[in-house]
Amino acid sequence: SAAEMGRILFGNTSQAPEGIKMRSISFTPKQKSPIEIAQNVEAEQVSVGLPIEFAYNSTEILADSKPFLEEVGKMLTKNDFANKRLIIEGHTDAAGADNYNLSLSKRRARAVSDYLVQNYGVSRARLQTKGLGELKPLTGHDPYDEANRRVQFYSAN
């Protein structure tokens, strides 16, 4: 939910709600979890990873992903989080050329930002986008695994 994501990203909670994994993200093709928590161990930074899907080789956000983005939009418009800033980080799998994947991940992160600006009136100044391409595959996953195609959200505060 929007409130849960906000608490995870911006709140002072020291542990994740029950049923949410820490220190890893696991998306499986058969059963997608709507929200998972990842922690960048080096930076001690908590993120929320969502299975945002795009049309093949495109920045078009698929309809199945919009409910996840709606929760992010609701979170950013809640009074508790109305002044919070968010980093939107795009990732790809290793299929394709490195430079192309980096560019695609940047454009997809920007598409998520554009969606939040256009549909929820979130100020673009509150949203920072970056693409990492195939540079940060999920731990324990083959770099070519489609689970690596993801969007992660971090607090920029």
Side-chain angles (χ1 to χ4, degrees):
S1 73
E4 182 181 16
M5 273 192 280
R7 282 191 305 275
I8 292 165
L9 290 171
F10 306 118
N12 293 326
T13 57
S14 59
Q15 51 180 239
E18 190 174 323
I20 303 228
K21 293 182 177 183
M22 291 298 288
R23 298 194 183 270
S24 68
I25 296 177
S26 57
F27 297 121
T28 58
K30 293 179 184 174
Q31 179 184 7
K32 290 187 181 173
S33 176
I35 181 173
E36 296 287 343
I37 306 303
Q39 185 169 12
N40 179 334
V41 177
E42 295 125 22
E44 294 299 321
Q45 188 175 25
V46 174
S47 72
V48 174
L50 298 174
I52 307 301
E53 295 181 351
F54 299 87
Y56 178 73
N57 204 22
S58 168
T59 60
E60 177 191 344
I61 300 168
L62 297 180
D64 287 349
S65 298
K66 291 188 179 173
F68 299 117
L69 292 180
E70 288 169 7
E71 290 302 312
V72 174
K74 288 177 191 175
M75 172 191 66
L76 291 171
T77 58
K78 284 185 160 297
N79 287 339
D80 292 349
F81 311 118
N83 295 317
K84 301 295 185 180
R85 296 176 309 126
L86 198 62
I87 298 169
I88 302 167
E89 188 177 86
H91 299 268
T92 66
D93 60 23
D98 295 351
N99 285 339
Y100 181 79
N101 284 340
L102 183 60
S103 172
L104 181 62
S105 67
K106 288 178 181 178
R107 290 180 300 161
R108 286 180 170 176
R110 180 61 182 224
V112 169
S113 173
D114 291 345
Y115 183 89
L116 296 170
V117 168
Q118 293 165 4
N119 293 285
Y120 290 90
V122 177
S123 168
R124 193 168 299 282
R126 294 177 56 206
L127 305 172
Q128 176 186 343
T129 61
K130 64 182 182 177
L132 295 180
E134 59 194 66
L135 297 176
K136 248 171 89 175
L138 293 170
T139 304
H141 286 78
D142 182 281
Y144 293 89
D145 189 331
E146 68 182 33
N148 290 308
R149 301 178 207 152
R150 68 195 189 278
V151 175
Q152 285 183 237
F153 299 88
Y154 294 90
S155 169
N157 292 62

